[in-house]
Amino acid sequence: MAALPRRDFLALGGAAAAAALMPGKAFANIATGTKLHGLSAFGDLKYKPDFPHFDYVQVDAPVGGIFNFSPPNWGYNQDTQTFNTMNSFANKGDAPPRMEMCFDTLMVRALDEPDAVYGQIADGVTLSDDRNGFTFSLRPEARFHDGAPLTARDAAFTFKLYKEKGHPDLSLSLTHMVDAVAVDDRTLRLTFSGKQSARTVLNVVEFPILSKAFYTANPFDSSQLNPPLGSGAYKVGRFSAGAWIEYDRVADYWGRDLPVNRGLNNFDRIRIEFYQNRNAGFEAFKKGEITYREEFVSRVWATAYDFPAMTAGKVAKHEFPAEKRPSMQATAVNQRREQFRDPRVRRAIALCFDFEWARRNFFYGSYERSQSCFEKSDFRAEGAPSPEELALLEPLRSQLPAEVFGEAVTQPASDGSGRDRKLLGQAAKLLSAAGWKRSGDFVVNDKGGRLSAEFMVDDDTFVQVYSPWVANMKAIGIDATIRLVDSAQYQSRQASFDFDLLSAAFSFSATPTRDDLEVFFHSSTAGVSGSRNLPGISDPAVDTLINAVGAAKDRENLTVAMRALDRVLRARCDWIPSWFLANHRVAYWDMFGFPEQKPDFGFPVEALWWFDKDKAAKIGKG
């Protein structure tokens, strides 16, 4: 595309930016006053009102058996190494993964569409004329596990509770909720102020609905090991605090035959074991104590799957394609610490990571270098900004790093030696330019204080991976160390932002909302305990671009705004991108069935797969 003369560009850019940043009407392409069976960000729904089930399920899958696994992902306050509470939705404590399976939601997401939700507790939703109000019609058959009806009063109570006391993953999306009202037992009305993202409700309808009676009688805090009353396909069964938990399938589950549930939730029991390190979990898998495992250690995947059960054909290895969703694996540099507020310091730290050496020596060539906060998606910026991106960026030029307006910032490739002198020389110059001068083995500021940087990790694997990075940081004068802490301390310190450097992996929605991004990158969340804004980003220009994402009226404009945001985040270097994997590396005892076609936007194995009696009998697991 030919470049525009600067005068013409500025005229066009200002108009386009103004249009892009106008407040967006929620679901502008969807009629108001009409009961809808589903919602999508831009109005397109794959499934009609009378759809029988999702296409990606095996609708006649057998029911039964046990699925014993180590969860590869989790959310809220959940932890895979220990647990000390059953409340997964508070902002404190460590809860077991998959507690959300015990609760139903107003609507559920289709895993073969990027942004569509369909009714579960609610059989429909009606938008108000101003599109700030959402009236949900609740199914009369909805029940909690004790037989009590699930009503609009429970739902209204839930949303108010989440707004006041919920985990930031819940409360932040409810910032602009004005009220949650039970019009009657079957009718819930959620009202927003008009300042919410146009797509906020897509997040909100997936929030687990709680029992008002239970949380009136029991405190909503992190000290409870009393299993909460739920309404979902599973309920808490036996457990040993911090060691293991079982979720039992609810035989008379009220929603079993709903279109959104058919073919799902096939295991009679789901069991999760908790291990303090990966090696212990792998040993349990080899013995068959764990029957499903996603492998995240390349060395183990390449060299350690030669144990007896594997060679006997009892265990299978398989690679499933990753989801078509933006993902980020990166290291947060905590700018609440004064020494990291200068972007030159953050870039110097990034230059000390020799990915090429790590890929060869630790990753067995399996990982690719990540460059973006939105890797594996169309939202990753490439090359120079397009005219459409510049229309958003140009009005913010004075607030942005100059690098934003050139080629998208990338982490340079090293020579693979483990100590690339050229890159370390660049890093040393950046520290010097930022005012850090060499004094003996370390660099110091004008007060003689050393530049220190501590990696906080909770697994021995990361000690090995980050040790060469730390050695390079020491080589340019940074007083760098690694601190290995237990899981509970890690969770607590992460939530309170008590760290220097911390690595994390996250996956975003295929159609990110403003709420999704605010949790990670917006100035409003920099001081919110438990938010995902681990670096403490507080930048009005970033906030403006997040608003542009929220105001996007179609997928094309959404992509433009996301790419513009990606450019800015990469230039700021708040998160240092590390690596990504194109596939899920999965090993499992060969006793399961699963759909031939994996859905593009999710991989909840525990819900999609089923126990195969014949396969299990052949390997002695029947």
Side-chain angles (χ1 to χ4, degrees), residues 272-467:
I272 297 174
E273 310 273 356
F274 294 78
Y275 297 98
Q276 292 299 310
N277 61 67
R278 296 174 190 265
N279 288 337
F282 184 54
E283 290 302 316
F285 176 75
K286 289 160 64 174
K287 297 174 184 176
E289 296 170 6
I290 298 289
T291 52
Y292 175 94
R293 174 182 173 87
E294 185 163 350
E295 186 58 68
F296 294 102
V297 180
S298 299
R299 174 186 53 80
V300 174
W301 184 253
T303 67
Y305 281 83
D306 57 356
F307 49 91
M310 187 84 202
T311 56
K314 295 181 179 182
V315 172
K317 288 176 70 179
H318 193 88
E319 293 199 20
F320 293 90
E323 289 69 65
K324 296 179 179 178
R325 297 167 57 180
S327 64
M328 174 175 70
Q329 183 154 342
T331 296
V333 187
N334 188 359
Q335 293 159 55
R336 300 171 189 85
R337 306 281 206 256
E338 185 176 355
Q339 68 265 33
F340 302 127
R341 291 174 188 164
D342 192 315
R344 292 170 293 191
V345 172
R346 303 195 294 271
R347 291 173 196 150
I349 292 172
L351 286 169
C352 292
F353 176 49
D354 193 328
F355 170 77
E356 284 68 29
W357 186 90
R359 187 174 192 266
R360 185 178 70 250
N361 289 278
F362 288 134
F363 302 152
Y364 288 77
S366 59
Y367 283 98
E368 302 297 329
R369 181 68 190 264
S370 178
Q371 298 290 356
S372 168
C373 292
F374 311 117
E375 202 61 68
K376 298 188 292 187
S377 76
D378 292 338
F379 306 137
R380 170 178 161 153
E382 300 283 356
S386 67
E388 293 80 10
E389 291 172 58
L390 284 171
L392 294 174
L393 296 169
E394 192 65 40
L396 305 171
R397 179 179 283 271
S398 64
Q399 304 173 55
L400 296 174
E403 295 88 346
V404 168
F405 297 91
E407 297 284 316
V409 170
T410 58
Q411 304 298 318
S414 74
D415 62 11
S417 66
R419 185 161 292 192
D420 187 315
R421 291 181 178 275
K422 179 180 178 182
L423 296 184
L424 294 182
Q426 293 174 14
K429 289 179 180 178
L430 285 169
L431 293 184
S432 178
W436 295 92
K437 305 302 180 184
R438 194 79 185 213
S439 176
D441 291 335
F442 301 101
V443 292
V444 298
N445 58 21
D446 55 3
K447 298 178 181 178
R450 292 179 184 176
L451 174 55
S452 61
E454 179 186 86
F455 268 105
M456 186 174 74
V457 302
D458 64 348
D459 192 286
D460 286 328
T461 299
F462 292 111
V463 175
Q464 298 174 24
V465 172
Y466 294 141
S467 288

Side-chain angles (χ1 to χ4, degrees), residues 80-91:
T80 58
Q81 295 186 6
T82 188
F83 68 95
N84 50 38
T85 178
M86 290 290 181
N87 186 352
S88 190
F89 313 121
N91 194 22

Side-chain angles (χ1 to χ4, degrees), residues 248-264:
D248 294 335
R249 187 174 180 272
V250 178
D252 59 350
Y253 170 45
W254 75 270
R256 178 180 56 193
D257 294 323
L258 293 178
V260 296
N261 291 332
R262 288 183 188 136
L264 296 170

Side-chain angles (χ1 to χ4, degrees), residues 30 41 56 78 83 130 157 209 218 250 252 289 305 379 416 440 455 463 475 479 503 511 519 535 540 589 605 607:
I30 299 177
Y56 50 83
Q78 296 170 0
F83 68 95
D130 65 2
F157 169 83
I209 300 301
N218 296 274
V250 178
D252 59 350
E289 296 170 6
Y305 281 83
F379 306 137
F455 268 105
V463 175
D479 186 7
S503 294
T511 304
V519 173
W589 284 72
V605 174

Side-chain angles (χ1 to χ4, degrees), residues 69 72-73 98 111 292 294 318-323 325 583-586 588 594-595 597-609:
F69 79 131
N73 51 33
R98 303 304 185 263
L111 302 181
Y292 175 94
E294 185 163 350
H318 193 88
E319 293 199 20
F320 293 90
E323 289 69 65
R325 297 167 57 180
N583 297 314
H584 294 280
R585 296 183 299 207
V586 168
Y588 54 92
F594 50 84
Q597 188 68 35
K598 173 189 168 294
D600 286 337
F601 302 106
F603 193 40
V605 174
E606 63 277 16
L608 283 172
W609 289 24

Side-chain angles (χ1 to χ4, degrees), residues 44-366:
D44 299 322
L45 290 173
K46 173 181 177 179
Y47 295 99
K48 304 303 180 185
D50 58 349
F51 77 99
H53 57 79
F54 290 132
D55 289 346
Y56 50 83
V57 304
Q58 184 72 35
V59 71
D60 58 352
V63 172
I66 299 174
F67 187 66
N68 192 336
F69 79 131
S70 297
N73 51 33
W74 56 95
Y76 307 119
N77 66 349
Q78 296 170 0
D79 196 331
T80 58
Q81 295 186 6
T82 188
F83 68 95
N84 50 38
T85 178
M86 290 290 181
N87 186 352
S88 190
F89 313 121
N91 194 22
K92 294 181 180 179
D94 301 272
R98 303 304 185 263
M99 278 298 298
E100 62 273 15
M101 294 189 307
C102 301
F103 300 87
D104 283 323
T105 60
L106 293 176
M107 308 180 87
V108 297
R109 196 169 293 268
L111 302 181
D112 56 352
E113 296 180 84
D115 55 35
V117 292
Y118 297 89
Q120 189 178 58
I121 293 173
D123 63 11
V125 57
T126 303
L127 278 64
S128 65
D129 288 342
D130 65 2
R131 291 182 167 82
N132 291 324
F134 301 86
T135 300
F136 297 90
S137 170
L138 273 56
R139 300 182 193 272
E141 65 268 32
R143 291 286 185 276
F144 287 104
H145 294 149
D146 65 352
L150 189 162
T151 73
R153 289 170 176 79
D154 295 294
F157 169 83
T158 296
F159 289 112
K160 290 178 179 178
L161 183 63
Y162 285 157
K163 179 172 180 174
E164 180 185 359
K165 297 181 179 179
H167 189 278
D169 289 353
L170 301 162
S171 63
L172 290 171
S173 287
L174 298 171
T175 299
H176 301 296
M177 185 185 77
V178 175
D179 207 354
V181 176
V183 178
D184 54 44
D185 279 355
R186 305 264 63 87
T187 309
L188 169 73
R189 182 179 299 128
L190 299 181
T191 306
F192 293 83
S193 67
K195 297 179 181 179
Q196 77 280 3
S197 166
R199 297 180 294 280
T200 289
V201 76
L202 289 177
N203 291 343
V204 168
V205 296
E206 289 194 286
F207 290 175
I209 300 301
L210 308 177
S211 163
K212 180 179 180 180
F214 181 88
Y215 279 114
T216 300
N218 296 274
F220 185 79
D221 61 26
S222 62
S223 62
Q224 296 291 306
L225 276 172
N226 181 23
L229 179 62
S231 61
Y234 289 89
K235 62 181 179 180
V236 174
R238 301 184 307 150
F239 65 90
S240 175
W244 53 270
I245 187 170
E246 293 180 346
Y247 299 101
D248 294 335
R249 187 174 180 272
V250 178
D252 59 350
Y253 170 45
W254 75 270
R256 178 180 56 193
D257 294 323
L258 293 178
V260 296
N261 291 332
R262 288 183 188 136
L264 296 170
N265 307 312
N266 304 306
F267 295 106
D268 273 344
R269 183 174 302 144
I270 294 173
R271 181 180 171 104
I272 297 174
E273 310 273 356
F274 294 78
Y275 297 98
Q276 292 299 310
N277 61 67
R278 296 174 190 265
N279 288 337
F282 184 54
E283 290 302 316
F285 176 75
K286 289 160 64 174
K287 297 174 184 176
E289 296 170 6
I290 298 289
T291 52
Y292 175 94
R293 174 182 173 87
E294 185 163 350
E295 186 58 68
F296 294 102
V297 180
S298 299
R299 174 186 53 80
V300 174
W301 184 253
T303 67
Y305 281 83
D306 57 356
F307 49 91
M310 187 84 202
T311 56
K314 295 181 179 182
V315 172
K317 288 176 70 179
H318 193 88
E319 293 199 20
F320 293 90
E323 289 69 65
K324 296 179 179 178
R325 297 167 57 180
S327 64
M328 174 175 70
Q329 183 154 342
T331 296
V333 187
N334 188 359
Q335 293 159 55
R336 300 171 189 85
R337 306 281 206 256
E338 185 176 355
Q339 68 265 33
F340 302 127
R341 291 174 188 164
D342 192 315
R344 292 170 293 191
V345 172
R346 303 195 294 271
R347 291 173 196 150
I349 292 172
L351 286 169
C352 292
F353 176 49
D354 193 328
F355 170 77
E356 284 68 29
W357 186 90
R359 187 174 192 266
R360 185 178 70 250
N361 289 278
F362 288 134
F363 302 152
Y364 288 77
S366 59

Side-chain angles (χ1 to χ4, degrees), residues 505-569:
F506 299 102
S507 181
F508 296 92
S509 165
T511 304
T513 68
R514 190 179 77 193
D515 307 300
D516 297 333
L517 300 175
E518 284 181 347
V519 173
F520 285 85
F521 310 117
H522 198 277
S523 58
S524 64
T525 61
V528 177
S529 174
S531 83
R532 310 301 182 184
N533 189 349
L534 301 182
I537 302 170
S538 183
D539 185 332
V542 172
D543 297 349
T544 297
L545 292 171
I546 290 174
N547 290 338
V549 171
K553 299 176 176 62
D554 53 42
R555 189 162 293 279
E556 182 180 357
N557 282 310
L558 174 70
T559 302
V560 168
M562 287 290 292
R563 288 176 179 173
L565 175 62
D566 187 39
R567 291 181 187 280
V568 173
L569 294 173

